[in-house]
PDB file of all heavy atoms in Angstrom:
ATOM      1  N   ALA A  22      -3.465   0.530  -7.498  1.00  0.00           N
ATOM      2  CA  ALA A  22      -4.498   0.689  -8.489  1.00  0.00           C
ATOM      3  C   ALA A  22      -4.336  -0.305  -9.643  1.00  0.00           C
ATOM      4  O   ALA A  22      -5.351  -0.809 -10.163  1.00  0.00           O
ATOM      5  CB  ALA A  22      -4.417   2.125  -9.064  1.00  0.00           C
ATOM      6  N   LEU A  23      -3.099  -0.619 -10.031  1.00  0.00           N
ATOM      7  CA  LEU A  23      -2.856  -1.653 -11.038  1.00  0.00           C
ATOM      8  C   LEU A  23      -3.426  -2.995 -10.558  1.00  0.00           C
ATOM      9  O   LEU A  23      -4.050  -3.720 -11.305  1.00  0.00           O
ATOM     10  CB  LEU A  23      -1.384  -1.807 -11.327  1.00  0.00           C
ATOM     11  CG  LEU A  23      -0.706  -0.773 -12.198  1.00  0.00           C
ATOM     12  CD1 LEU A  23       0.772  -1.086 -12.326  1.00  0.00           C
ATOM     13  CD2 LEU A  23      -1.341  -0.821 -13.615  1.00  0.00           C
ATOM     14  N   ALA A  24      -3.172  -3.314  -9.286  1.00  0.00           N
ATOM     15  CA  ALA A  24      -3.663  -4.603  -8.715  1.00  0.00           C
ATOM     16  C   ALA A  24      -5.156  -4.668  -8.760  1.00  0.00           C
ATOM     17  O   ALA A  24      -5.747  -5.715  -9.061  1.00  0.00           O
ATOM     18  CB  ALA A  24      -3.069  -4.807  -7.339  1.00  0.00           C
ATOM     19  N   ALA A  25      -5.754  -3.537  -8.419  1.00  0.00           N
ATOM     20  CA  ALA A  25      -7.231  -3.525  -8.408  1.00  0.00           C
ATOM     21  C   ALA A  25      -7.824  -3.698  -9.784  1.00  0.00           C
ATOM     22  O   ALA A  25      -8.967  -4.169  -9.930  1.00  0.00           O
ATOM     23  CB  ALA A  25      -7.751  -2.180  -7.800  1.00  0.00           C
ATOM     24  N   GLY A  26      -7.039  -3.371 -10.806  1.00  0.00           N
ATOM     25  CA  GLY A  26      -7.556  -3.412 -12.164  1.00  0.00           C
ATOM     26  C   GLY A  26      -7.132  -4.628 -12.980  1.00  0.00           C
ATOM     27  O   GLY A  26      -7.479  -4.719 -14.145  1.00  0.00           O
ATOM     28  N   HIS A  27      -6.400  -5.590 -12.332  1.00  0.00           N
ATOM     29  CA  HIS A  27      -5.945  -6.700 -13.091  1.00  0.00           C
ATOM     30  C   HIS A  27      -5.996  -7.965 -12.227  1.00  0.00           C
ATOM     31  O   HIS A  27      -5.392  -8.013 -11.140  1.00  0.00           O
ATOM     32  CB  HIS A  27      -4.498  -6.494 -13.580  1.00  0.00           C
ATOM     33  CG  HIS A  27      -4.167  -7.334 -14.794  1.00  0.00           C
ATOM     34  ND1 HIS A  27      -4.011  -8.680 -14.753  1.00  0.00           N
ATOM     35  CD2 HIS A  27      -4.011  -6.990 -16.091  1.00  0.00           C
ATOM     36  CE1 HIS A  27      -3.749  -9.161 -15.924  1.00  0.00           C
ATOM     37  NE2 HIS A  27      -3.753  -8.147 -16.811  1.00  0.00           N
ATOM     38  N   GLU A  28      -6.679  -8.958 -12.719  1.00  0.00           N
ATOM     39  CA  GLU A  28      -6.891 -10.200 -11.939  1.00  0.00           C
ATOM     40  C   GLU A  28      -5.612 -10.971 -11.647  1.00  0.00           C
ATOM     41  O   GLU A  28      -5.553 -11.766 -10.741  1.00  0.00           O
ATOM     42  CB  GLU A  28      -7.922 -11.120 -12.599  1.00  0.00           C
ATOM     43  CG  GLU A  28      -7.440 -11.605 -13.990  1.00  0.00           C
ATOM     44  CD  GLU A  28      -8.442 -12.501 -14.635  1.00  0.00           C
ATOM     45  OE1 GLU A  28      -9.542 -12.660 -14.090  1.00  0.00           O
ATOM     46  OE2 GLU A  28      -8.163 -13.030 -15.726  1.00  0.00           O
ATOM     47  N   LEU A  29      -4.566 -10.747 -12.437  1.00  0.00           N
ATOM     48  CA  LEU A  29      -3.343 -11.536 -12.220  1.00  0.00           C
ATOM     49  C   LEU A  29      -2.629 -11.139 -10.960  1.00  0.00           C
ATOM     50  O   LEU A  29      -2.071 -11.991 -10.227  1.00  0.00           O
ATOM     51  CB  LEU A  29      -2.440 -11.316 -13.428  1.00  0.00           C
ATOM     52  CG  LEU A  29      -1.101 -12.131 -13.427  1.00  0.00           C
ATOM     53  CD1 LEU A  29      -1.362 -13.632 -13.527  1.00  0.00           C
ATOM     54  CD2 LEU A  29      -0.167 -11.621 -14.564  1.00  0.00           C
ATOM     55  N   ILE A  30      -2.607  -9.829 -10.611  1.00  0.00           N
ATOM     56  CA  ILE A  30      -1.830  -9.351  -9.476  1.00  0.00           C
ATOM     57  C   ILE A  30      -2.650  -9.539  -8.224  1.00  0.00           C
ATOM     58  O   ILE A  30      -3.734  -8.956  -8.042  1.00  0.00           O
ATOM     59  CB  ILE A  30      -1.484  -7.868  -9.665  1.00  0.00           C
ATOM     60  CG1 ILE A  30      -0.642  -7.640 -10.929  1.00  0.00           C
ATOM     61  CG2 ILE A  30      -0.718  -7.348  -8.411  1.00  0.00           C
ATOM     62  CD1 ILE A  30      -0.408  -6.221 -11.264  1.00  0.00           C
ATOM     63  N   ALA A  31      -2.178 -10.393  -7.321  1.00  0.00           N
ATOM     64  CA  ALA A  31      -2.871 -10.722  -6.096  1.00  0.00           C
ATOM     65  C   ALA A  31      -2.407  -9.953  -4.870  1.00  0.00           C
ATOM     66  O   ALA A  31      -3.032  -9.960  -3.817  1.00  0.00           O
ATOM     67  CB  ALA A  31      -2.812 -12.222  -5.807  1.00  0.00           C
ATOM     68  N   GLY A  32      -1.242  -9.302  -4.997  1.00  0.00           N
ATOM     69  CA  GLY A  32      -0.703  -8.548  -3.906  1.00  0.00           C
ATOM     70  C   GLY A  32       0.367  -7.606  -4.322  1.00  0.00           C
ATOM     71  O   GLY A  32       0.954  -7.743  -5.403  1.00  0.00           O
ATOM     72  N   VAL A  33       0.632  -6.623  -3.484  1.00  0.00           N
ATOM     73  CA  VAL A  33       1.684  -5.590  -3.728  1.00  0.00           C
ATOM     74  C   VAL A  33       2.565  -5.454  -2.522  1.00  0.00           C
ATOM     75  O   VAL A  33       2.105  -5.410  -1.371  1.00  0.00           O
ATOM     76  CB  VAL A  33       1.047  -4.213  -4.031  1.00  0.00           C
ATOM     77  CG1 VAL A  33       2.043  -3.120  -4.064  1.00  0.00           C
ATOM     78  CG2 VAL A  33       0.239  -4.258  -5.314  1.00  0.00           C
ATOM     79  N   VAL A  34       3.873  -5.482  -2.770  1.00  0.00           N
ATOM     80  CA  VAL A  34       4.845  -5.084  -1.746  1.00  0.00           C
ATOM     81  C   VAL A  34       5.308  -3.640  -2.165  1.00  0.00           C
ATOM     82  O   VAL A  34       6.020  -3.494  -3.151  1.00  0.00           O
ATOM     83  CB  VAL A  34       6.013  -6.033  -1.705  1.00  0.00           C
ATOM     84  CG1 VAL A  34       7.108  -5.548  -0.743  1.00  0.00           C
ATOM     85  CG2 VAL A  34       5.583  -7.428  -1.344  1.00  0.00           C
ATOM     86  N   GLY A  35       4.912  -2.701  -1.377  1.00  0.00           N
ATOM     87  CA  GLY A  35       5.155  -1.309  -1.732  1.00  0.00           C
ATOM     88  C   GLY A  35       6.318  -0.708  -0.946  1.00  0.00           C
ATOM     89  O   GLY A  35       7.039  -1.383  -0.243  1.00  0.00           O
ATOM     90  N   TRP A  36       6.420   0.635  -1.055  1.00  0.00           N
ATOM     91  CA  TRP A  36       7.447   1.373  -0.313  1.00  0.00           C
ATOM     92  C   TRP A  36       6.812   2.530   0.405  1.00  0.00           C
ATOM     93  O   TRP A  36       5.897   3.160  -0.084  1.00  0.00           O
ATOM     94  CB  TRP A  36       8.533   1.924  -1.263  1.00  0.00           C
ATOM     95  CG  TRP A  36       9.581   2.687  -0.521  1.00  0.00           C
ATOM     96  CD1 TRP A  36      10.706   2.193   0.073  1.00  0.00           C
ATOM     97  CD2 TRP A  36       9.583   4.127  -0.326  1.00  0.00           C
ATOM     98  NE1 TRP A  36      11.398   3.226   0.676  1.00  0.00           N
ATOM     99  CE2 TRP A  36      10.792   4.440   0.428  1.00  0.00           C
ATOM    100  CE3 TRP A  36       8.760   5.177  -0.650  1.00  0.00           C
ATOM    101  CZ2 TRP A  36      11.121   5.729   0.838  1.00  0.00           C
ATOM    102  CZ3 TRP A  36       9.071   6.472  -0.272  1.00  0.00           C
ATOM    103  CH2 TRP A  36      10.234   6.730   0.483  1.00  0.00           C
ATOM    104  N   THR A  37       7.291   2.753   1.591  1.00  0.00           N
ATOM    105  CA  THR A  37       7.071   4.020   2.280  1.00  0.00           C
ATOM    106  C   THR A  37       8.300   4.320   3.145  1.00  0.00           C
ATOM    107  O   THR A  37       9.055   3.375   3.464  1.00  0.00           O
ATOM    108  CB  THR A  37       5.781   4.010   3.136  1.00  0.00           C
ATOM    109  OG1 THR A  37       5.433   5.339   3.488  1.00  0.00           O
ATOM    110  CG2 THR A  37       5.954   3.170   4.393  1.00  0.00           C
ATOM    111  N   ASP A  38       8.488   5.528   3.521  1.00  0.00           N
ATOM    112  CA  ASP A  38       9.638   5.907   4.328  1.00  0.00           C
ATOM    113  C   ASP A  38       9.437   5.423   5.748  1.00  0.00           C
ATOM    114  O   ASP A  38       8.659   5.951   6.504  1.00  0.00           O
ATOM    115  CB  ASP A  38       9.818   7.432   4.268  1.00  0.00           C
ATOM    116  CG  ASP A  38      11.030   7.920   5.051  1.00  0.00           C
ATOM    117  OD1 ASP A  38      11.779   7.058   5.631  1.00  0.00           O
ATOM    118  OD2 ASP A  38      11.254   9.137   5.056  1.00  0.00           O
ATOM    119  N   LEU A  39      10.166   4.413   6.149  1.00  0.00           N
ATOM    120  CA  LEU A  39      10.013   3.835   7.483  1.00  0.00           C
ATOM    121  C   LEU A  39      10.452   4.818   8.601  1.00  0.00           C
ATOM    122  O   LEU A  39      10.043   4.665   9.746  1.00  0.00           O
ATOM    123  CB  LEU A  39      10.895   2.563   7.588  1.00  0.00           C
ATOM    124  CG  LEU A  39      10.486   1.367   6.793  1.00  0.00           C
ATOM    125  CD1 LEU A  39      11.461   0.224   6.972  1.00  0.00           C
ATOM    126  CD2 LEU A  39       9.041   0.900   7.151  1.00  0.00           C
ATOM    127  N   THR A  40      11.232   5.823   8.223  1.00  0.00           N
ATOM    128  CA  THR A  40      11.766   6.731   9.242  1.00  0.00           C
ATOM    129  C   THR A  40      10.866   7.926   9.500  1.00  0.00           C
ATOM    130  O   THR A  40      11.096   8.681  10.454  1.00  0.00           O
ATOM    131  CB  THR A  40      13.186   7.240   8.883  1.00  0.00           C
ATOM    132  OG1 THR A  40      13.067   8.102   7.728  1.00  0.00           O
ATOM    133  CG2 THR A  40      14.097   6.063   8.534  1.00  0.00           C
ATOM    134  N   ARG A  41       9.787   8.031   8.738  1.00  0.00           N
ATOM    135  CA  ARG A  41       8.911   9.188   8.946  1.00  0.00           C
ATOM    136  C   ARG A  41       8.149   9.031  10.285  1.00  0.00           C
ATOM    137  O   ARG A  41       7.703   7.927  10.576  1.00  0.00           O
ATOM    138  CB  ARG A  41       7.961   9.428   7.792  1.00  0.00           C
ATOM    139  CG  ARG A  41       7.066   8.243   7.447  1.00  0.00           C
ATOM    140  CD  ARG A  41       6.275   8.454   6.217  1.00  0.00           C
ATOM    141  NE  ARG A  41       5.265   9.521   6.350  1.00  0.00           N
ATOM    142  CZ  ARG A  41       4.542  10.004   5.342  1.00  0.00           C
ATOM    143  NH1 ARG A  41       4.736   9.556   4.124  1.00  0.00           N
ATOM    144  NH2 ARG A  41       3.628  10.960   5.539  1.00  0.00           N
ATOM    145  N   PRO A  42       7.941  10.090  11.031  1.00  0.00           N
ATOM    146  CA  PRO A  42       7.318   9.965  12.359  1.00  0.00           C
ATOM    147  C   PRO A  42       5.903   9.438  12.254  1.00  0.00           C
ATOM    148  O   PRO A  42       5.442   8.751  13.215  1.00  0.00           O
ATOM    149  CB  PRO A  42       7.333  11.417  12.875  1.00  0.00           C
ATOM    150  CG  PRO A  42       8.412  12.106  12.122  1.00  0.00           C
ATOM    151  CD  PRO A  42       8.420  11.470  10.752  1.00  0.00           C
ATOM    152  N   ASP A  43       5.202   9.699  11.185  1.00  0.00           N
ATOM    153  CA  ASP A  43       3.803   9.272  11.036  1.00  0.00           C
ATOM    154  C   ASP A  43       3.644   8.035  10.160  1.00  0.00           C
ATOM    155  O   ASP A  43       2.650   7.908   9.450  1.00  0.00           O
ATOM    156  CB  ASP A  43       2.982  10.407  10.488  1.00  0.00           C
ATOM    157  CG  ASP A  43       3.407  10.815   9.090  1.00  0.00           C
ATOM    158  OD1 ASP A  43       4.544  10.493   8.667  1.00  0.00           O
ATOM    159  OD2 ASP A  43       2.590  11.507   8.383  1.00  0.00           O
ATOM    160  N   VAL A  44       4.607   7.147  10.184  1.00  0.00           N
ATOM    161  CA  VAL A  44       4.604   6.015   9.278  1.00  0.00           C
ATOM    162  C   VAL A  44       3.365   5.162   9.489  1.00  0.00           C
ATOM    163  O   VAL A  44       2.796   4.645   8.529  1.00  0.00           O
ATOM    164  CB  VAL A  44       5.888   5.188   9.410  1.00  0.00           C
ATOM    165  CG1 VAL A  44       6.080   4.628  10.804  1.00  0.00           C
ATOM    166  CG2 VAL A  44       5.946   4.071   8.363  1.00  0.00           C
ATOM    167  N   ALA A  45       2.886   4.990  10.718  1.00  0.00           N
ATOM    168  CA  ALA A  45       1.664   4.208  10.976  1.00  0.00           C
ATOM    169  C   ALA A  45       0.463   4.836  10.259  1.00  0.00           C
ATOM    170  O   ALA A  45      -0.363   4.131   9.673  1.00  0.00           O
ATOM    171  CB  ALA A  45       1.415   4.080  12.479  1.00  0.00           C
ATOM    172  N   ASP A  46       0.359   6.164  10.320  1.00  0.00           N
ATOM    173  CA  ASP A  46      -0.743   6.856   9.642  1.00  0.00           C
ATOM    174  C   ASP A  46      -0.631   6.689   8.129  1.00  0.00           C
ATOM    175  O   ASP A  46      -1.660   6.548   7.431  1.00  0.00           O
ATOM    176  CB  ASP A  46      -0.744   8.344   9.985  1.00  0.00           C
ATOM    177  CG  ASP A  46      -1.072   8.584  11.481  1.00  0.00           C
ATOM    178  OD1 ASP A  46      -1.735   7.697  12.067  1.00  0.00           O
ATOM    179  OD2 ASP A  46      -0.713   9.654  11.972  1.00  0.00           O
ATOM    180  N   GLU A  47       0.604   6.703   7.618  1.00  0.00           N
ATOM    181  CA  GLU A  47       0.807   6.572   6.168  1.00  0.00           C
ATOM    182  C   GLU A  47       0.411   5.173   5.695  1.00  0.00           C
ATOM    183  O   GLU A  47      -0.204   5.020   4.643  1.00  0.00           O
ATOM    184  CB  GLU A  47       2.265   6.833   5.831  1.00  0.00           C
ATOM    185  CG  GLU A  47       2.612   6.673   4.336  1.00  0.00           C
ATOM    186  CD  GLU A  47       1.813   7.558   3.387  1.00  0.00           C
ATOM    187  OE1 GLU A  47       1.158   8.499   3.847  1.00  0.00           O
ATOM    188  OE2 GLU A  47       1.865   7.285   2.167  1.00  0.00           O
ATOM    189  N   LEU A  48       0.734   4.173   6.459  1.00  0.00           N
ATOM    190  CA  LEU A  48       0.351   2.810   6.093  1.00  0.00           C
ATOM    191  C   LEU A  48      -1.190   2.714   6.114  1.00  0.00           C
ATOM    192  O   LEU A  48      -1.755   2.056   5.211  1.00  0.00           O
ATOM    193  CB  LEU A  48       0.953   1.788   7.075  1.00  0.00           C
ATOM    194  CG  LEU A  48       2.477   1.633   6.992  1.00  0.00           C
ATOM    195  CD1 LEU A  48       2.987   0.772   8.157  1.00  0.00           C
ATOM    196  CD2 LEU A  48       2.892   1.070   5.658  1.00  0.00           C
ATOM    197  N   ALA A  49      -1.838   3.308   7.088  1.00  0.00           N
ATOM    198  CA  ALA A  49      -3.272   3.294   7.101  1.00  0.00           C
ATOM    199  C   ALA A  49      -3.881   4.031   5.933  1.00  0.00           C
ATOM    200  O   ALA A  49      -4.895   3.572   5.366  1.00  0.00           O
ATOM    201  CB  ALA A  49      -3.786   3.912   8.427  1.00  0.00           C
ATOM    202  N   ARG A  50      -3.252   5.108   5.553  1.00  0.00           N
ATOM    203  CA  ARG A  50      -3.736   5.880   4.380  1.00  0.00           C
ATOM    204  C   ARG A  50      -3.633   5.052   3.108  1.00  0.00           C
ATOM    205  O   ARG A  50      -4.548   4.996   2.296  1.00  0.00           O
ATOM    206  CB  ARG A  50      -2.940   7.176   4.194  1.00  0.00           C
ATOM    207  CG  ARG A  50      -3.432   8.092   3.130  1.00  0.00           C
ATOM    208  CD  ARG A  50      -2.447   9.215   2.836  1.00  0.00           C
ATOM    209  NE  ARG A  50      -1.243   8.790   2.166  1.00  0.00           N
ATOM    210  CZ  ARG A  50      -1.151   8.637   0.822  1.00  0.00           C
ATOM    211  NH1 ARG A  50      -2.196   8.859   0.037  1.00  0.00           N
ATOM    212  NH2 ARG A  50      -0.030   8.252   0.282  1.00  0.00           N
ATOM    213  N   LEU A  51      -2.517   4.331   2.936  1.00  0.00           N
ATOM    214  CA  LEU A  51      -2.323   3.473   1.778  1.00  0.00           C
ATOM    215  C   LEU A  51      -3.408   2.417   1.710  1.00  0.00           C
ATOM    216  O   LEU A  51      -3.950   2.068   0.671  1.00  0.00           O
ATOM    217  CB  LEU A  51      -0.978   2.846   1.764  1.00  0.00           C
ATOM    218  CG  LEU A  51       0.238   3.771   1.503  1.00  0.00           C
ATOM    219  CD1 LEU A  51       1.538   3.082   1.803  1.00  0.00           C
ATOM    220  CD2 LEU A  51       0.211   4.305   0.100  1.00  0.00           C
ATOM    221  N   ARG A  52      -3.773   1.883   2.872  1.00  0.00           N
ATOM    222  CA  ARG A  52      -4.796   0.837   2.913  1.00  0.00           C
ATOM    223  C   ARG A  52      -6.162   1.351   2.499  1.00  0.00           C
ATOM    224  O   ARG A  52      -7.033   0.570   2.084  1.00  0.00           O
ATOM    225  CB  ARG A  52      -4.902   0.277   4.378  1.00  0.00           C
ATOM    226  CG  ARG A  52      -3.764  -0.653   4.811  1.00  0.00           C
ATOM    227  CD  ARG A  52      -3.592  -1.810   3.981  1.00  0.00           C
ATOM    228  NE  ARG A  52      -3.572  -3.137   4.458  1.00  0.00           N
ATOM    229  CZ  ARG A  52      -3.233  -3.686   5.590  1.00  0.00           C
ATOM    230  NH1 ARG A  52      -2.948  -2.920   6.617  1.00  0.00           N
ATOM    231  NH2 ARG A  52      -3.178  -4.952   5.776  1.00  0.00           N
ATOM    232  N   GLU A  53      -6.371   2.637   2.626  1.00  0.00           N
ATOM    233  CA  GLU A  53      -7.687   3.228   2.281  1.00  0.00           C
ATOM    234  C   GLU A  53      -7.758   3.669   0.835  1.00  0.00           C
ATOM    235  O   GLU A  53      -8.847   4.053   0.400  1.00  0.00           O
ATOM    236  CB  GLU A  53      -7.942   4.427   3.181  1.00  0.00           C
ATOM    237  CG  GLU A  53      -8.152   4.095   4.665  1.00  0.00           C
ATOM    238  CD  GLU A  53      -9.321   3.147   4.842  1.00  0.00           C
ATOM    239  OE1 GLU A  53     -10.365   3.375   4.253  1.00  0.00           O
ATOM    240  OE2 GLU A  53      -9.179   2.190   5.641  1.00  0.00           O
ATOM    241  N   LEU A  54      -6.699   3.654   0.096  1.00  0.00           N
ATOM    242  CA  LEU A  54      -6.668   4.037  -1.296  1.00  0.00           C
ATOM    243  C   LEU A  54      -7.335   3.005  -2.170  1.00  0.00           C
ATOM    244  O   LEU A  54      -7.510   1.862  -1.774  1.00  0.00           O
ATOM    245  CB  LEU A  54      -5.187   4.249  -1.786  1.00  0.00           C
ATOM    246  CG  LEU A  54      -4.389   5.376  -1.119  1.00  0.00           C
ATOM    247  CD1 LEU A  54      -2.977   5.377  -1.622  1.00  0.00           C
ATOM    248  CD2 LEU A  54      -5.084   6.733  -1.443  1.00  0.00           C
ATOM    249  N   PRO A  55      -7.674   3.380  -3.451  1.00  0.00           N
ATOM    250  CA  PRO A  55      -8.195   2.340  -4.348  1.00  0.00           C
ATOM    251  C   PRO A  55      -7.158   1.216  -4.511  1.00  0.00           C
ATOM    252  O   PRO A  55      -6.008   1.456  -4.775  1.00  0.00           O
ATOM    253  CB  PRO A  55      -8.337   3.145  -5.674  1.00  0.00           C
ATOM    254  CG  PRO A  55      -8.594   4.559  -5.222  1.00  0.00           C
ATOM    255  CD  PRO A  55      -7.752   4.731  -4.012  1.00  0.00           C
ATOM    256  N   GLY A  56      -7.629   0.005  -4.272  1.00  0.00           N
ATOM    257  CA  GLY A  56      -6.701  -1.154  -4.324  1.00  0.00           C
ATOM    258  C   GLY A  56      -5.937  -1.346  -3.054  1.00  0.00           C
ATOM    259  O   GLY A  56      -5.041  -2.220  -3.002  1.00  0.00           O
ATOM    260  N   GLY A  57      -6.238  -0.591  -2.011  1.00  0.00           N
ATOM    261  CA  GLY A  57      -5.481  -0.652  -0.764  1.00  0.00           C
ATOM    262  C   GLY A  57      -5.474  -2.034  -0.089  1.00  0.00           C
ATOM    263  O   GLY A  57      -4.513  -2.382   0.545  1.00  0.00           O
ATOM    264  N   ARG A  58      -6.461  -2.819  -0.393  1.00  0.00           N
ATOM    265  CA  ARG A  58      -6.514  -4.162   0.226  1.00  0.00           C
ATOM    266  C   ARG A  58      -5.453  -5.079  -0.346  1.00  0.00           C
ATOM    267  O   ARG A  58      -5.176  -6.137   0.182  1.00  0.00           O
ATOM    268  CB  ARG A  58      -7.898  -4.768   0.034  1.00  0.00           C
ATOM    269  CG  ARG A  58      -8.239  -5.084  -1.418  1.00  0.00           C
ATOM    270  CD  ARG A  58      -9.739  -5.510  -1.540  1.00  0.00           C
ATOM    271  NE  ARG A  58     -10.122  -5.841  -2.889  1.00  0.00           N
ATOM    272  CZ  ARG A  58     -10.014  -7.064  -3.419  1.00  0.00           C
ATOM    273  NH1 ARG A  58      -9.526  -8.067  -2.752  1.00  0.00           N
ATOM    274  NH2 ARG A  58     -10.406  -7.267  -4.642  1.00  0.00           N
ATOM    275  N   TYR A  59      -4.850  -4.640  -1.464  1.00  0.00           N
ATOM    276  CA  TYR A  59      -3.806  -5.514  -2.054  1.00  0.00           C
ATOM    277  C   TYR A  59      -2.424  -5.238  -1.439  1.00  0.00           C
ATOM    278  O   TYR A  59      -1.474  -5.936  -1.790  1.00  0.00           O
ATOM    279  CB  TYR A  59      -3.703  -5.229  -3.582  1.00  0.00           C
ATOM    280  CG  TYR A  59      -4.902  -5.755  -4.324  1.00  0.00           C
ATOM    281  CD1 TYR A  59      -5.990  -4.961  -4.632  1.00  0.00           C
ATOM    282  CD2 TYR A  59      -4.950  -7.095  -4.743  1.00  0.00           C
ATOM    283  CE1 TYR A  59      -7.086  -5.426  -5.336  1.00  0.00           C
ATOM    284  CE2 TYR A  59      -6.045  -7.612  -5.443  1.00  0.00           C
ATOM    285  CZ  TYR A  59      -7.128  -6.744  -5.734  1.00  0.00           C
ATOM    286  OH  TYR A  59      -8.220  -7.227  -6.405  1.00  0.00           O
ATOM    287  N   LEU A  60      -2.322  -4.238  -0.594  1.00  0.00           N
ATOM    288  CA  LEU A  60      -1.052  -3.975   0.061  1.00  0.00           C
ATOM    289  C   LEU A  60      -0.737  -5.116   1.041  1.00  0.00           C
ATOM    290  O   LEU A  60      -1.470  -5.293   2.028  1.00  0.00           O
ATOM    291  CB  LEU A  60      -1.029  -2.644   0.756  1.00  0.00           C
ATOM    292  CG  LEU A  60       0.276  -2.222   1.392  1.00  0.00           C
ATOM    293  CD1 LEU A  60       1.347  -1.975   0.310  1.00  0.00           C
ATOM    294  CD2 LEU A  60       0.116  -0.957   2.269  1.00  0.00           C
ATOM    295  N   LYS A  61       0.308  -5.841   0.818  1.00  0.00           N
ATOM    296  CA  LYS A  61       0.664  -6.981   1.662  1.00  0.00           C
ATOM    297  C   LYS A  61       1.997  -6.841   2.391  1.00  0.00           C
ATOM    298  O   LYS A  61       2.253  -7.529   3.357  1.00  0.00           O
ATOM    299  CB  LYS A  61       0.756  -8.252   0.765  1.00  0.00           C
ATOM    300  CG  LYS A  61      -0.494  -8.526  -0.046  1.00  0.00           C
ATOM    301  CD  LYS A  61      -1.728  -8.728   0.849  1.00  0.00           C
ATOM    302  CE  LYS A  61      -2.968  -9.080   0.021  1.00  0.00           C
ATOM    303  NZ  LYS A  61      -4.163  -9.276   0.878  1.00  0.00           N
ATOM    304  N   GLY A  62       2.851  -5.976   1.885  1.00  0.00           N
ATOM    305  CA  GLY A  62       4.157  -5.814   2.518  1.00  0.00           C
ATOM    306  C   GLY A  62       4.801  -4.486   2.133  1.00  0.00           C
ATOM    307  O   GLY A  62       4.342  -3.753   1.278  1.00  0.00           O
ATOM    308  N   ILE A  63       5.948  -4.247   2.767  1.00  0.00           N
ATOM    309  CA  ILE A  63       6.762  -3.021   2.534  1.00  0.00           C
ATOM    310  C   ILE A  63       8.200  -3.485   2.244  1.00  0.00           C
ATOM    311  O   ILE A  63       8.689  -4.424   2.837  1.00  0.00           O
ATOM    312  CB  ILE A  63       6.707  -2.047   3.740  1.00  0.00           C
ATOM    313  CG1 ILE A  63       5.282  -1.555   3.959  1.00  0.00           C
ATOM    314  CG2 ILE A  63       7.658  -0.900   3.571  1.00  0.00           C
ATOM    315  CD1 ILE A  63       4.708  -0.699   2.831  1.00  0.00           C
TER     316      ILE A  63
END
C-alpha cells in the first residue's frame, strides 16, 4: 500500500511463510491486494 501511494517506491521485497502448505495461494493473494503489482520478491 505504501508503494502504491508513493512514486519513489518502485518495488517491494516482502515476507511470507515459505513453509506454509498454501504458499502459492498466499503469493497470489498478495498480488491481488492494493499495490500488489509492486511485489517483486520475497
Side-chain angles (χ1 to χ4, degrees):
L23 282 177
H27 204 289
E28 62 181 3
L29 183 66
I30 301 172
V33 170
V34 175
W36 179 85
T37 194
D38 182 359
L39 292 177
T40 68
R41 58 186 292 170
D43 63 343
V44 61
D46 293 338
E47 176 61 12
L48 292 172
R50 185 189 74 83
L51 290 170
R52 285 303 233 333
E53 293 301 316
L54 294 175
R58 67 187 180 90
Y59 291 95
L60 185 66
K61 305 298 183 180
I63 296 296

